[in-house]
Amino acid sequence: MMCVKVLKCLIVSLIFQEVSCGAQIHWINCSTSDPSHFKFATCNLRNFKKSDAQFSCYVQVLEPIRDCMVRLETLYLVGRKPIVLLNASCDACELLKNRKRFVAVSRMFDIIADKTNLNHTCPYAHNIFANNLTLDLHKFPFPMPRGKYYMKVSFFVNRDTNKVYVEGAATIF
């Protein structure tokens, strides 16, 4: 399955044969299925320059997180049908326990790891934050040709009873 994803990325980059040099994040949306368990105190995007944006969020955890599944989706929006660059799921608690087990998700987590307080395995009984995350294209585990992208991170917490979503769109130029 991973070979198919890598092959799709290579085909996309061969078709366009462009090296990315910057990114502009257009919008970010944070939501939860049950505000009585999780509440976004902060979810904002600050644009300093055209290619320099910072994302910050602060999630109030009102019920301890005992288990959590995470799904990462990255779509390249070209033509009528978007190309799926990444669609990976894993147990977030296992990811934090053993990073080598989930290679694709671990590489995406490496992009944000030093800007968050997600530094131990479950349970999480404290608030979660991410401060001043930037889109560093050199850290992505797959090629990023120029164009528009959509990314969604879904968290299915405590046996899927609560869902937390962070999604956004960006243009690579």
Side-chain angles (χ1 to χ4, degrees), residues 93-111:
C93 299
E94 285 295 318
L95 171 70
L96 293 170
K97 190 184 299 183
N98 183 4
R99 303 265 303 269
K100 293 179 181 178
R101 185 172 175 195
F102 306 100
V103 177
V105 179
S106 179
R107 286 188 172 176
M108 295 298 285
F109 181 72
D110 288 343
I111 297 170

Side-chain angles (χ1 to χ4, degrees), residues 62-127:
L62 305 173
E63 175 184 301
I65 300 171
R66 294 180 302 282
D67 60 80
C68 179
M69 291 294 292
V70 63
R71 179 186 304 143
L72 299 172
E73 300 169 83
T74 302
L75 302 175
Y76 180 55
L77 306 174
V78 60
R80 289 183 160 187
K81 187 173 181 183
I83 298 171
V84 178
L85 295 179
L86 179 67
N87 187 0
S89 298
C90 76
D91 184 334
C93 299
E94 285 295 318
L95 171 70
L96 293 170
K97 190 184 299 183
N98 183 4
R99 303 265 303 269
K100 293 179 181 178
R101 185 172 175 195
F102 306 100
V103 177
V105 179
S106 179
R107 286 188 172 176
M108 295 298 285
F109 181 72
D110 288 343
I111 297 170
I112 66 164
D114 60 340
K115 303 280 188 170
T116 70
N117 67 338
L118 297 172
N119 55 11
H120 63 83
T121 188
C122 298
Y124 271 88
H126 55 78
N127 297 338

Side-chain angles (χ1 to χ4, degrees), residues 39-43 56-60 127-130:
K39 185 194 280 186
F40 280 95
T42 303
C43 177
S56 297
C57 71
Y58 187 88
V59 182
Q60 294 175 337
N127 297 338
I128 298 170
F129 66 83

Side-chain angles (χ1 to χ4, degrees), residues 122-169:
C122 298
Y124 271 88
H126 55 78
N127 297 338
I128 298 170
F129 66 83
N131 283 327
N132 303 327
L133 296 175
T134 58
L135 192 58
D136 187 356
L137 300 174
H138 301 291
K139 291 184 179 180
F140 271 79
F142 46 82
M144 302 290 289
R146 295 180 183 187
K148 293 184 179 184
Y149 290 84
Y150 168 80
M151 185 170 190
K152 182 176 182 179
V153 182
S154 306
F155 300 92
F156 304 98
V157 182
N158 296 337
R159 307 233 186 268
D160 293 342
T161 57
N162 304 306
K163 298 169 183 73
V164 178
Y165 305 102
V166 178
E167 58 186 332

